[in-house]
Amino acid sequence: MYLKKGLTINGQKLLEFSWSQDMAAADLNVKSAMLWVRLELKPDSSNRVRKIPPNLNFTFWVFRVIASGLRNATFLSGKEFEERTKLSASLPVTLSSLGWKTFDVTSTVKEWYASPHKDRLRLLVECSGCGDYVTPVLFDDPRQVNEWEKPFLMIQPDPTVTRRVRRRAVDCSRAKRDQCCKQQFYIRFRDIGWHTWIIAPSGYYANYCRGDCGGFHRTPDTYINPHTYALEDYKKINQYSLFEPCCAPVKFSSISMIYITPDQNVIKRDLPKMVVDECGCP
């Protein structure tokens, strides 16, 4: 999910999320969607210590904005605001609980993903009661130590929904007996002690490969490369050949992870080759 700086509405930059190529190609069913935003004290340009009321109460709101036809630096109020926006989430926050906060925008993302136009998802983050004291950390903010401290949207797909499967992406639930296939396998981070430093997700489907690469007829288009096809034909002629193809991962994908570094910084990063997507007989 790619974040871009959008139009300025009511003095606040919109968060714009665009479709990734993988999302557009996948038959994805959204299980949950969480918007992560850092909430911090508003900086004072004079560097003076701002006196904050002890009983300050405020609420952050996330609205989905229909921005078609709008110009930059637009102010929406009253009926026009109601027509152009839809409430996605709200969160009461206290001064003692500032930092990274999550907004449950599952229904909004589901509605967005189901739309036929595949337009960008535009979100407006606003606060009531914040005044000059608290603000979300969005774009070009000096409080951002690195690029990972911008807001981000974490979508968890429903693993029980079958996606479109390519030729070599054989799932073990549909495989023939002993056929090379991908076995679905879930790792819960708490079970391996990773929950102490990983904030999200709580686990993921790592998957693994199992099955046999011999004993069934294979046509040339089922091979990953011509080299393997040649070795297979050689093995058929020379029955004492040591060549034996193994069922192994042939395609991986990454997962997005939020974790705490040893120096107590919160990092969001895409870790490559964490998920086995396809198995085959190289």
Side-chain angles (χ1 to χ4, degrees):
M1 192 67 60
Y2 302 101
L3 172 65
K4 295 182 179 180
K5 186 189 301 185
L7 299 175
T8 299
I9 304 295
N10 292 359
Q12 191 73 275
K13 285 288 185 182
L14 295 184
L15 306 179
E16 291 195 357
F17 295 94
S18 58
W19 295 91
S20 66
Q21 186 175 0
D22 291 340
M23 286 183 64
D27 191 9
L28 178 67
N29 187 51
V30 178
K31 182 178 181 181
S32 67
M34 306 298 292
L35 175 67
W36 287 70
V37 182
R38 269 183 60 202
L39 308 180
E40 299 290 351
L41 294 175
K42 196 170 185 179
D44 190 340
S45 57
S46 63
N47 293 323
R48 292 179 302 177
V49 178
R50 182 182 286 113
K51 186 177 180 180
I52 303 176
N55 298 322
L56 182 65
N57 294 317
F58 49 93
T59 302
F60 275 89
W61 311 84
V62 178
F63 297 91
R64 183 183 181 185
V65 178
I66 307 302
S68 58
L70 290 180
R71 296 182 178 181
N72 198 20
T74 300
F75 182 80
L76 299 177
S77 62
K79 184 178 180 181
E80 188 178 12
F81 185 86
E82 293 179 359
E83 293 175 348
R84 287 280 186 172
T85 66
K86 184 177 181 180
L87 179 62
S88 296
S90 63
L91 183 69
V93 181
T94 63
L95 289 175
S96 61
S97 63
L98 295 179
W100 282 103
K101 294 297 178 183
T102 57
F103 297 85
D104 189 342
V105 293
T106 302
S107 60
T108 296
V109 172
K110 283 185 175 181
E111 181 181 306
W112 171 56
Y113 190 82
S115 65
H117 303 296
K118 300 296 185 290
D119 195 10
R120 292 179 182 177
L121 174 64
R122 296 176 172 90
L123 300 177
L124 171 65
V125 181
E126 285 198 335
C127 177
S128 57
C130 287
D132 293 328
Y133 304 114
V134 178
T135 182
V137 179
L138 301 180
F139 303 98
D140 305 323
D141 196 299
R143 293 167 295 177
Q144 292 177 339
V145 179
N146 55 59
E147 63 176 314
W148 307 109
E149 296 189 356
K150 294 179 181 178
F152 59 92
L153 186 61
M154 177 164 285
I155 297 177
Q156 181 180 357
D158 187 348
T160 62
V161 176
T162 303
R163 298 186 181 187
R164 287 192 291 247
V165 179
R166 284 172 288 197
R167 183 168 297 165
R168 291 192 299 269
V170 179
D171 191 273
C172 289
S173 62
R174 299 184 302 275
K176 299 178 182 178
R177 182 178 180 181
D178 297 328
Q179 181 183 0
C180 178
C181 60
K182 179 187 72 174
Q183 177 63 54
Q184 193 176 77
F185 181 69
Y186 186 81
I187 294 179
R188 194 170 70 136
F189 290 142
R190 178 173 292 276
D191 293 340
I192 59 177
W194 287 17
H195 68 289
T196 58
W197 56 277
I198 295 179
I199 298 176
S202 59
Y204 80 109
Y205 279 89
N207 307 327
Y208 64 90
C209 300
R210 68 177 178 86
D212 187 10
C213 287
F216 64 95
H217 177 67
R218 301 178 68 190
T219 56
D221 60 334
T222 63
Y223 290 87
I224 299 172
N225 53 68
H227 172 264
T228 305
Y229 188 33
L231 293 183
E232 280 286 282
D233 273 359
Y234 181 84
K235 180 184 175 183
K236 292 175 184 177
I237 298 173
N238 185 353
Q239 56 182 307
Y240 298 105
S241 172
L242 297 178
F243 300 130
E244 187 66 43
C246 299
C247 181
V250 296
K251 184 178 180 182
F252 294 88
S253 61
S254 61
I255 66 168
S256 295
M257 185 180 292
I258 309 164
Y259 59 91
I260 303 173
T261 64
D263 52 359
Q264 299 304 304
N265 286 325
V266 176
I267 298 292
K268 183 263 181 183
R269 186 161 296 168
D270 292 331
L271 301 182
K273 295 188 176 181
M274 289 287 286
V275 179
V276 173
D277 286 334
E278 294 183 12
C279 299
C281 301

